[in-house]
Amino acid sequence: MAPESIEEMGPIDYVVLEWPGRQPKGDAAPLILELVDRGIIRILDIALMVKAEDGSIAAIDLGELDADSGFAEFQGASTGLLSQEDLEEAANALQPGTSAAVLMWENRWAAPVAVALRRSGGQLVASGRIEIQAMLAALEALDPSAVTS
């Protein structure tokens, strides 16, 4: 990535997604591809791995995936920003007997705001995300009838 293009980028996010078993069914990948096609996000890096029952980790080559997984479409998505250390840290979070996708993307929808913020001398000083499970638990604590199964 050229330095001038970095100045024009939106915020960068990463996620570690986990599925039971060897590989996902493919429900999420088409939705991620749709976000890419619509210009909402740009995939910077993606890695897939499995964690065996004994705790050992193995990388999955995107080119070797079943077409049904949907992740084969991301073959070649790599900027090198996702390091081996990042992948090892992600693997530590996985349960044995699971597979995972680690994705890093640019939020292109937010790029104009990020660029304007940087040009005005502003900077991001904190960021976070509330997981849906935490939100549901908080809502249920406030009013158990507010959360339906």
Side-chain angles (χ1 to χ4, degrees):
M1 270 184 224
E4 61 276 0
S5 67
I6 292 172
E7 289 298 319
E8 302 298 317
M9 288 181 70
I12 307 298
D13 278 340
Y14 76 92
V15 293
V16 179
L17 309 170
E18 179 186 70
W19 292 270
R22 173 83 173 129
Q23 70 180 10
K25 291 188 272 184
D27 298 343
L31 299 172
I32 295 168
L33 281 169
E34 181 181 339
L35 294 173
V36 171
D37 290 345
R38 292 175 48 203
I40 295 171
I41 65 171
R42 175 173 58 135
I43 300 295
L44 301 174
D45 283 300
I46 185 167
L48 299 179
M49 63 182 85
V50 294
K51 187 169 191 175
E53 292 294 340
D54 67 4
S56 62
I57 304 294
I60 300 173
D61 183 346
L62 293 171
E64 294 176 8
L65 290 174
D66 296 340
D68 293 342
S69 77
F71 283 99
E73 296 285 333
F74 293 106
Q75 186 172 5
S78 177
T79 61
L81 292 173
L82 198 56
S83 71
Q84 185 61 37
E85 289 174 7
D86 295 328
L87 296 177
E88 289 169 7
E89 186 175 332
N92 288 334
L94 301 177
Q95 295 297 313
T98 60
S99 58
V102 182
L103 289 96
M104 183 181 292
W105 68 75
E106 173 194 3
N107 290 290
R108 289 185 139 186
W109 61 270
V113 174
V115 169
L117 180 68
R118 287 190 290 268
R119 287 185 179 154
S120 69
Q123 64 181 346
L124 179 66
V125 294
S127 181
R129 176 164 284 136
I130 299 172
E131 295 178 15
I132 191 70
Q133 296 89 340
M135 187 179 78
L136 291 173
L139 288 173
E140 187 171 15
L142 292 172
D143 182 2
S145 65
V147 179
T148 59
S149 315

